Amino acid sequence: MKELVKAFDDLPWIIKLILAFPVIDGIAYGIYRIAKGIDRNDMTILIAGIIWILVGWAILWIIDLITVIFRGKVTVFA
């Protein structure tokens, strides 16, 4: 899981921005949060990843888009 998290963290900013678009965000960053939750052994992040896959494609992608634009990375909520 560490390799997956590192791969996402090392992506260029423009690719992170593209992954934050609707539908793609729910899958890509949902998997990222699940991997990060497993890597940190943190249930909060793991549950956020599962929720992100379920509803992130519809609404929550806006949060990721804004945080990628202004911070250069997604919010993990932990």
Side-chain angles (χ1 to χ4, degrees), residues 64-78:
D64 282 345
L65 187 66
I66 291 170
T67 57
V68 167
I69 290 171
F70 291 110
R71 294 182 54 216
K73 60 183 180 175
V74 295
T75 302
V76 185
F77 301 111

Side-chain angles (χ1 to χ4, degrees), residues 22-49:
V23 180
I24 301 169
D25 177 77
I27 298 165
Y29 287 129
I31 292 170
Y32 171 74
R33 285 179 173 91
I34 289 171
K36 195 144 191 160
I38 291 171
D39 185 42
R40 290 185 181 179
N41 200 18
D42 188 345
M43 288 301 290
T44 306
I45 300 172
L46 184 64
I47 292 170

Side-chain angles (χ1 to χ4, degrees), residues 48-66:
I50 293 168
I51 292 171
W52 223 266
I53 288 176
L54 298 174
V55 294
W57 62 273
I59 299 169
L60 301 173
W61 64 270
I62 297 168
I63 296 170
D64 282 345
L65 187 66
I66 291 170

